[in-house]
Amino acid sequence: MNLRWITIVGLLLSSLAGCSSLSSVDNNVPKVMISEGGVITQKGAVYTVKASTKLVTPKLGQYIGFRYAIEIPDGASDELKAKTAFPITARMTHPKLINPATKQATTVSTWSDTMYKHDKNLALWQFSEPYELVSGSWVFELLYKDQVVAKREFTVANHEQLNQSLKNTFETAFMLNSTRSWLSQNGDALVCDKAKSKRCLQFSSTEECNQTLSRYNSMCQQIALKQMGRGDEIISAKEEMKEYVSYFFYCMHSARINEAKLDKKQVHTCLKG
C-alpha cells in the first residue's frame, strides 16, 4: 500500500466517521448558519450573492459578505426563545486602509447591526471608496454579547494593485474556485459516465453510480484540497489543477472501494487496464 493511498484512506475514514465541534454549545446564544457568501450586488431592494469559496474580486459599489439564518438551540432560555431580533456587532478585520481625507489608518472596522429570527439575514461590507479596495485577507465576524457567532474569511483581489507574483497566486485560486464549482455539479458524473469506471467499481448502472458517488463529492473536494501543495516543488496553476482533480478522483474511487469492500488492488489494476 503506497503512502498516497494510506493518506487519502485515512482522511476518508475520518470524514466518514464524522466529527464533533471543538467548542461547547451555549444554549443562550442563537445558532447562526451561513448559507452562501461572496461578492454581493444590490439592485433596488434585491441583493444577489455571487457565491465564492474564498477568493473575491469586488468592484466599487459592490459588497462582500454572506447570507445567513439563525435558529434557537434546544434547551434555550425562555427569554431567548421569545426574542425575534438580536442586537449584534459586525466586525471586519482587513488590510490597512488609509482614508485620504483624514490620513487615518485602520485595520479593524466595527458597527452595530441586528439579526432576525429568519433565514434571509445579510451581513454586508460595501466598498464605497476607492481606497477601500485593497487586496489581501478580509475576515468578517458577527458578535452577539461579545461572542463570535459567525465568521467568513475572504481573499480580496484588486488586480490593479497586484504585482506579477501575487497575480500568479490569485490565478491559481481563480482556477481552483472554478474547478471546485464545476466538480460540485459534475464530479460524480465524470466517473459514472465511463463504462470502465462503472465496471471496475462494480456498479450495475449509471444511476446507481451517480446516486452512490454524489454523497462523497463535497468530502472528496475537501480531501483533495488538503493534499494539494504538500510537496516542496513549485508547480504552475495548471499543474495544481491537474493535481487537485487527480486527488479528487482517487478519493471517489477510494470511497467506493471502502463502502463496497472491494479488492483495491483488483480495482486499480482494472482502472489502469
Side-chain angles (χ1 to χ4, degrees), residues 180-191:
R180 291 184 65 192
S181 176
W182 192 84
L183 285 175
S184 295
Q185 303 297 321
N186 304 282
D188 51 291
L190 281 180
V191 177

Side-chain angles (χ1 to χ4, degrees), residues 25-40:
V25 176
D26 187 341
N27 290 334
N28 289 313
V29 174
K31 293 169 61 177
V32 177
M33 293 150 292
I34 298 175
S35 57
E36 57 182 353
V39 174
I40 301 174

